[in-house]
Amino acid sequence: MNNLDTITMLNRLIVVSKDGESSLRAAAEEAYHPVLKNSLMSYSRFFGEAATELQHAVKDLGGAPKALGTFANTLHRTWLHLRSSAQGHNEDVLLDEIAEDERIAAESLARAVREDTPPQIHELLERHYEGVLKHYGEIREIRQQLH
């Protein structure tokens, strides 16, 4: 993978991370169980830190890093709030809504890890992928405990 392809891939992951950060923060604001709220905020912070690291990697490669998530994610957060309110702040609704974001993040990182990237980029991607899987597992465990 050449430098330009690597920068393009990292910029896509920045957008995924920014979207994940804001979606999970919005879900945490809607959650009422303290353990779930804290876990969602931790997951949101993870994505924020991942985006920052990816932005630095893009700069180190001589590229211009993306700074924002997508407008579609803004709409998704609004939908999450409306749906949560309409369903009486049902946390299952929140978890269902963020499941798609988690799937996208995991699949995007899994694809990125398989790419032929410089060793420092590969290590960064592997660490982020492992972090997504760890946080996803925590959320899944909390969901099971709530039932």
Side-chain angles (χ1 to χ4, degrees):
M1 179 173 264
N2 66 39
N3 238 20
L4 181 58
D5 291 339
T6 301
I7 289 168
T8 300
M9 178 193 62
L10 293 174
N11 269 326
R12 276 192 228 115
L13 292 173
I14 290 168
V15 171
V16 167
S17 295
K18 290 295 207 176
D19 284 352
E21 176 187 23
S22 59
S23 289
L24 289 161
R25 186 179 340 99
E29 291 168 359
E30 297 290 334
Y32 58 91
H33 280 94
V35 172
L36 179 59
K37 183 181 278 293
N38 289 337
S39 186
L40 291 169
M41 282 305 294
S42 173
Y43 203 179
S44 173
R45 283 190 299 275
F46 164 79
F47 273 119
E49 291 165 6
T52 299
E53 286 182 314
L54 292 165
Q55 288 167 329
H56 288 297
V58 168
K59 285 180 188 174
D60 290 346
L61 292 171
K66 296 283 185 177
L68 302 172
T70 61
F71 179 70
N73 186 259
T74 301
L75 296 174
H76 180 252
R77 290 191 318 271
T78 302
W79 172 248
L80 183 139
H81 173 72
L82 292 172
R83 188 164 177 222
S84 174
S85 295
Q87 303 261 335
H89 297 282
N90 182 333
E91 289 178 332
D92 283 330
V93 170
L94 295 175
L95 294 170
D96 289 345
E97 286 294 326
I98 64 167
E100 179 66 9
D101 294 332
E102 290 179 307
R103 183 190 64 74
I104 290 169
E107 287 177 2
S108 297
L109 282 162
R111 275 192 308 274
V113 166
R114 290 190 299 268
E115 293 291 340
D116 181 26
T117 57
Q120 71 276 14
I121 300 295
H122 185 77
E123 180 209 322
L124 175 72
L125 297 173
E126 280 187 332
R127 192 165 32 83
H128 289 183
Y129 182 58
E130 289 168 6
V132 164
L133 295 178
K134 174 186 163 268
H135 283 284
Y136 177 69
E138 289 174 6
I139 298 292
R140 194 172 56 231
E141 285 178 23
I142 292 169
R143 184 177 206 159
Q144 290 171 348
Q145 292 171 5
L146 293 176
H147 288 111

